[in-house]
Amino acid sequence: MKNIFNFLLSFLFIANIAHAKKVLIVGSGGREHALSWKMAQSPQVDHIFVAPGNAGAAQCKKTENIDIAADDINALLIFAQEHMIDLTIVGPELPLTLGIVDTFNEHGLPCFGPSQKAAQIEASKKFAKDFMQRHNIRTAEYKTFIDAQKARDYIKQQSNYPIVVKADGLAAGKGVVIAQTEQAALNAIENMMQKQHFGHAGTTIVIEQFLRGHEVSFFAICDGQTWVPLTTAQDYKKAYDNNFGPNTGGMGATSPAPIDTAMQQRIMREVVEPTVAGLSQDGIPYTGVLYAGLMISPEGDPYVLEFNCRFGDPETEPMMMRLKTDLYDLCLASAKQTLRTCNVEVDQRCAVGVVLASSGYPISYKKGYPISGLKQSRKDDETVVFHAGTKTCDGEIVTNGGRVLCVTALGNDIADARKKVYNCVANIEWDGKCYRTDIGLN
Ligand code: AMP
Ligand code: GLY
C-alpha cells in the first residue's frame, strides 16, 4: 500500500514538473507582443494568454488574446485561477502600481513584477528622488512642493534655465515640463497644481535641475536580493527626426545603447546595486525588471533621470530579439526569488526598432485604417514586425492607436540592423503612416 502511495506521489511530482506551462501576459502594446513572441520560443511553455493583446499577439504561435483590461486585477486573478496559470508577466505600470503582484502572490500565483510598494519607484517621483538622496545615488538636485505658492516663490528665486517641473504621479509620459523661462515654469506649476491637468498626479510636484548629456537606459532583472543585468537600450522620445517635436512614448529604440563596458560597470556599481540593496534595506525588496533612465553627463557621470518598474516600450522589442535565455525561466526565477541560479545570455549582435505611428501622434490621430504589406514584410527570423495599436476588423488588420507597429531587426551592427528595418518599413502602408528616419543614427 505504502509503495503504491509513493509511486503515485512521484508520478504526480514528475507530471507537475513536466506539465506544459501556461503564461498570462498583461498589456496590449508592442512590448507585450514582443514578450509573447519571445515566450512562445520557450519549449516549456504550451499556451500564452495576452490580456487584452493586439492583432499581432494573436498571431504568435501558442498565443491567444483574452478580453480583459490590463488594470482589471480582479478579473485577471479569476482568469489566472480558473486556467491554472503558472506565471503572469505584467507589461504596463498601472496594474503594478495598483498592486497586481501583491494580489496574485496572496493567492499563491507567481507574478513577474514589483509589489505595489516597490512600484512607487516609478509611481512617485518624490519617493524615487528621496530614496536616491538617502542612498547617495546620483540624480539632479531637486525640491518637492505640495503648495503652489511656495513652488512659485522658489521659481522666482531661480536664475538657471531651463528648469524641470515634474508631476509626482503617473501622467502617461506627459508629466515632465522642461521650462525654458520663468513664465513657462510658472505655467507648468499652474497646470499641474491648480488646473490639475494630470488629476491627483500633480498635487505634489518636483522641481529639478536640468541635466545635459546623452540618455541611455539600463535594465536589470531583480528578485528582491539578487539582480542580474539584462542589457542596455537607447530610446528616441521625440516625435520627429533630429529630436524635434513633442515627447512621445518612444518612436524607436536600439539595443545595446552606445556606451562602453566601463560605463556599464559604473551604472551597475553606482546605480543598480545601491538601488536594489537600498530598497531591500528599506524593507521594500524589489522584484521584476528595474529600468533606470539615465543621463550620462558631459563629464562622464551617470545620473538617474527616472526609474521605471517595468519593461520599456519600444525598448523591449529590440531587447527581446537579442535575449537568448529562456524568458520563462528568467521571469519565474525573479518571481520565485531564485535568480541566483539563472544565467542571462544576450546576443552580441545589435537590434533596432522603428515605430510606425498614426499621423498626428502623440497629439491627436484617427484610427481604423487598413494596413497593407504585413504579409510580404515577414521575411526572415532577423526582422520582426511587432504590433502595438492594431486590431482585426472583418478579417483585416487595421490601425487602433497612436503607435501602430514596431518594425525590429537584428544586425551585425546598428547600421546593418537599420538597413534591414527601413527596407521592411518601406513595404508597409496605411493612410497616415509616420515614422522617424534617424533611429540608430545618433
Ligand atoms: P522622466 O519621465 O522623468 O524620465 O522624464 C522624461 C524625459 O524628460 C526624460 O527622458 C528626459 O529626456 C527629460 N528629463 C527629465 N528630467 C530631466 C532633467 N533633470 N534634465 C534634463 N532632461 C530631463
Ligand atoms: N520608452 C519609454 C518607456 O517605456 O517608459
Side-chain angles (χ1 to χ4, degrees):
M1 189 64 192
K2 200 173 161 200
N3 277 348
I4 295 174
F5 181 72
N6 280 345
F7 171 77
L8 269 176
L9 258 187
S10 46
F11 174 77
L12 283 173
F13 181 69
I14 291 165
N16 186 40
I17 289 182
H19 101 257
K21 309 296 182 195
K22 289 186 209 161
V23 174
L24 171 62
I25 294 177
V26 178
S28 63
R31 167 182 52 206
E32 288 74 21
H33 184 186
L35 291 170
S36 14
W37 173 85
K38 182 69 200 164
M39 191 57 83
Q41 293 170 16
S42 169
Q44 305 172 73
V45 174
D46 174 52
H47 206 95
I48 302 159
F49 298 98
V50 193
N54 58 37
Q59 286 174 350
C60 282
K61 53 182 185 179
K62 310 177 185 174
T63 306
E64 179 185 340
N65 285 347
I66 53 167
D67 189 17
I68 303 178
D71 59 353
D72 191 346
I73 294 178
N74 210 25
L76 291 168
L77 175 67
I78 293 168
F79 181 89
Q81 287 174 317
E82 281 177 1
H83 291 78
M84 291 186 289
I85 297 293
D86 296 282
L87 173 66
T88 298
I89 298 184
V90 186
E93 61 278 16
L94 186 58
L96 293 167
T97 62
L98 293 174
I100 187 169
V101 172
D102 311 64
T103 305
F104 272 51
N105 286 346
E106 277 157 26
H107 290 84
L109 294 166
C111 188
F112 176 81
S115 67
Q116 185 172 28
K117 270 192 177 167
Q120 285 182 96
I121 199 106
E122 171 166 1
S124 166
K125 304 235 185 246
K126 177 180 177 343
F127 173 90
K129 297 292 287 190
D130 292 350
F131 169 80
M132 286 187 269
Q133 193 173 51
R134 254 195 336 273
H135 292 277
N136 290 319
I137 297 163
R138 209 181 278 105
T139 188
E141 281 178 29
Y142 74 104
K143 278 200 180 296
T144 56
F145 297 92
I146 49 169
D147 178 328
Q149 189 53 47
K150 288 196 174 138
R152 278 195 292 269
D153 292 345
Y154 175 76
I155 283 296
K156 286 182 183 152
Q157 292 156 18
Q158 305 306 310
S159 51
N160 273 346
Y161 284 87
I163 201 163
V164 186
V165 184
K166 297 184 175 184
D168 174 61
L170 295 180
K174 295 181 184 137
V176 174
V177 173
I178 314 277
Q180 302 292 339
T181 61
E182 180 179 300
Q183 192 52 50
L186 294 173
N187 292 346
I189 293 169
E190 188 183 340
N191 290 339
M192 288 177 193
M193 301 188 89
Q194 283 155 319
K195 294 193 178 157
Q196 305 209 324
H197 279 189
F198 307 114
H200 187 65
T203 50
T204 299
I205 63 162
V206 173
I207 300 183
E208 71 179 29
Q209 165 203 17
F210 177 77
L211 297 175
R212 289 169 211 283
H214 70 274
E215 282 184 55
V216 298
S217 305
F218 192 97
F219 296 82
I221 306 288
C222 314
D223 76 356
Q225 309 303 329
T226 308
W227 60 273
V228 288
L230 186 57
T231 183
T232 58
Q234 186 180 2
D235 182 18
Y236 290 71
K237 287 204 168 73
K238 298 283 184 186
Y240 314 130
D241 279 2
N242 300 312
N243 296 324
F244 284 117
N247 256 343
T248 70
M251 291 298 287
T254 63
S255 180
I259 51 169
D260 59 17
T261 315
M263 179 54 72
Q264 286 188 45
Q265 300 286 348
R266 280 194 64 187
I267 295 169
M268 290 194 261
R269 208 170 50 238
E270 296 172 22
V271 176
V272 183
E273 176 59 32
T275 301
V276 177
L279 284 166
S280 169
Q281 269 166 34
D282 292 352
I284 312 174
Y286 191 92
T287 52
V289 58
L290 179 70
Y291 164 162
L294 305 151
M295 184 74 89
I296 311 297
S297 72
E299 297 75 35
D301 293 319
Y303 284 75
V304 177
L305 287 175
E306 63 162 349
F307 284 116
N308 292 317
C309 65
R310 52 171 173 82
F311 283 111
D313 196 351
E315 297 92 320
T316 305
E317 289 87 316
M319 276 165 45
M320 285 304 122
M321 289 199 67
R322 295 183 63 223
L323 181 66
K324 285 182 160 176
T325 306
D326 185 319
L327 184 64
Y328 181 81
D329 284 338
L330 185 61
C331 294
L332 192 72
S334 159
K336 291 199 152 181
Q337 282 94 54
T338 56
L339 255 189
R340 198 167 284 112
T341 60
C342 204
N343 229 346
V344 177
E345 227 195 309
V346 174
D347 198 316
Q348 288 310 303
R349 286 176 297 171
C350 296
V352 172
V354 172
V355 169
L356 305 190
S358 303
S359 165
Y361 172 77
I363 295 154
S364 74
Y365 50 84
K366 292 192 186 139
K367 302 179 190 175
Y369 296 106
I371 307 172
S372 67
L374 285 170
K375 282 208 179 90
Q376 301 84 303
S377 61
R378 253 184 255 135
K379 280 188 212 124
D380 52 53
D381 289 347
E382 291 189 332
T383 309
V384 180
V385 180
F386 292 115
H387 290 221
T390 65
K391 69 173 185 183
T392 306
C393 197
D394 300 329
E396 202 172 31
I397 294 181
V398 302
T399 65
N400 191 38
R403 294 191 292 177
V404 177
L405 303 168
C406 181
V407 180
T408 311
L410 269 175
N412 294 329
D413 52 26
I414 294 282
D416 184 32
R418 256 181 64 78
K419 208 162 89 193
K420 290 181 189 160
V421 165
Y422 283 108
N423 276 341
C424 181
V425 164
N427 293 325
I428 301 171
E429 290 303 339
W430 73 84
D431 198 357
K433 169 185 104 170
C434 290
Y435 60 95
R436 279 181 63 158
T437 63
D438 62 348
I439 305 302
L441 274 189
N442 43 48

mmCIF file of all heavy atoms in Angstrom, residues 235 249 291 308 310 312-315, ligand 2:
data_model
loop_
_atom_site.group_PDB
_atom_site.id
_atom_site.type_symbol
_atom_site.label_atom_id
_atom_site.label_comp_id
_atom_site.label_asym_id
_atom_site.label_seq_id
_atom_site.Cartn_x
_atom_site.Cartn_y
_atom_site.Cartn_z
ATOM 1 N N ASP A 235 16.406 54.966 -26.223
ATOM 2 C CA ASP A 235 15.032 55.257 -26.656
ATOM 3 C C ASP A 235 15.050 56.599 -27.394
ATOM 4 O O ASP A 235 15.829 57.480 -27.045
ATOM 5 C CB ASP A 235 14.170 55.338 -25.384
ATOM 6 C CG ASP A 235 12.704 55.592 -25.650
ATOM 7 O OD1 ASP A 235 12.262 55.371 -26.785
ATOM 8 O OD2 ASP A 235 12.004 56.004 -24.709
ATOM 9 N N GLY A 249 5.748 58.319 -26.297
ATOM 10 C CA GLY A 249 6.111 57.131 -25.517
ATOM 11 C C GLY A 249 7.432 56.545 -25.988
ATOM 12 O O GLY A 249 8.045 55.744 -25.286
ATOM 13 N N TYR A 291 14.132 49.420 -14.519
ATOM 14 C CA TYR A 291 14.520 50.169 -15.707
ATOM 15 C C TYR A 291 15.044 51.515 -15.208
ATOM 16 O O TYR A 291 14.291 52.311 -14.652
ATOM 17 C CB TYR A 291 13.272 50.300 -16.577
ATOM 18 C CG TYR A 291 13.217 51.302 -17.705
ATOM 19 C CD1 TYR A 291 12.257 51.162 -18.691
ATOM 20 C CD2 TYR A 291 14.074 52.392 -17.816
ATOM 21 C CE1 TYR A 291 12.146 52.071 -19.739
ATOM 22 C CE2 TYR A 291 13.981 53.303 -18.859
ATOM 23 C CZ TYR A 291 13.009 53.137 -19.795
ATOM 24 O OH TYR A 291 12.903 54.042 -20.815
ATOM 25 N N ASN A 308 11.800 53.229 -13.888
ATOM 26 C CA ASN A 308 10.519 52.624 -14.236
ATOM 27 C C ASN A 308 10.491 51.222 -13.653
ATOM 28 O O ASN A 308 11.540 50.582 -13.508
ATOM 29 C CB ASN A 308 10.334 52.568 -15.758
ATOM 30 C CG ASN A 308 10.166 53.963 -16.329
ATOM 31 O OD1 ASN A 308 9.455 54.792 -15.781
ATOM 32 N ND2 ASN A 308 10.842 54.242 -17.430
ATOM 33 N N ARG A 310 9.100 48.479 -14.844
ATOM 34 C CA ARG A 310 8.573 47.566 -15.880
ATOM 35 C C ARG A 310 9.505 47.603 -17.083
ATOM 36 O O ARG A 310 10.433 48.403 -17.125
ATOM 37 C CB ARG A 310 7.198 48.076 -16.295
ATOM 38 C CG ARG A 310 7.370 49.560 -16.647
ATOM 39 C CD ARG A 310 6.230 50.248 -17.264
ATOM 40 N NE ARG A 310 6.522 51.662 -17.367
ATOM 41 C CZ ARG A 310 7.228 52.233 -18.323
ATOM 42 N NH1 ARG A 310 7.728 51.498 -19.309
ATOM 43 N NH2 ARG A 310 7.470 53.521 -18.326
ATOM 44 N N GLY A 312 10.511 48.630 -20.874
ATOM 45 C CA GLY A 312 10.213 49.821 -21.671
ATOM 46 C C GLY A 312 9.521 49.448 -22.974
ATOM 47 O O GLY A 312 9.627 48.328 -23.457
ATOM 48 N N ASP A 313 8.812 50.407 -23.527
ATOM 49 C CA ASP A 313 8.202 50.219 -24.837
ATOM 50 C C ASP A 313 8.532 51.455 -25.666
ATOM 51 O O ASP A 313 8.152 52.548 -25.252
ATOM 52 C CB ASP A 313 6.685 50.054 -24.678
ATOM 53 C CG ASP A 313 6.045 49.475 -25.930
ATOM 54 O OD1 ASP A 313 6.743 49.370 -26.952
ATOM 55 O OD2 ASP A 313 4.850 49.138 -25.889
ATOM 56 N N PRO A 314 9.327 51.403 -26.726
ATOM 57 C CA PRO A 314 9.641 50.228 -27.550
ATOM 58 C C PRO A 314 10.955 49.508 -27.229
ATOM 59 O O PRO A 314 11.352 48.622 -27.988
ATOM 60 C CB PRO A 314 9.744 50.846 -28.937
ATOM 61 C CG PRO A 314 10.358 52.192 -28.704
ATOM 62 C CD PRO A 314 9.783 52.660 -27.387
ATOM 63 N N GLU A 315 11.642 49.800 -26.121
ATOM 64 C CA GLU A 315 12.948 49.164 -25.882
ATOM 65 C C GLU A 315 12.866 47.632 -25.841
ATOM 66 O O GLU A 315 13.807 46.930 -26.219
ATOM 67 C CB GLU A 315 13.547 49.649 -24.552
ATOM 68 C CG GLU A 315 13.854 51.122 -24.485
ATOM 69 C CD GLU A 315 12.685 51.921 -23.923
ATOM 70 O OE1 GLU A 315 11.515 51.629 -24.260
ATOM 71 O OE2 GLU A 315 12.940 52.842 -23.134
HETATM 72 N N1 GLY B 2 10.013 54.172 -23.829
HETATM 73 C C1 GLY B 2 9.878 54.749 -22.562
HETATM 74 C C2 GLY B 2 9.178 53.940 -21.569
HETATM 75 O O1 GLY B 2 8.824 52.799 -21.775
HETATM 76 O O2 GLY B 2 8.950 54.449 -20.467
#
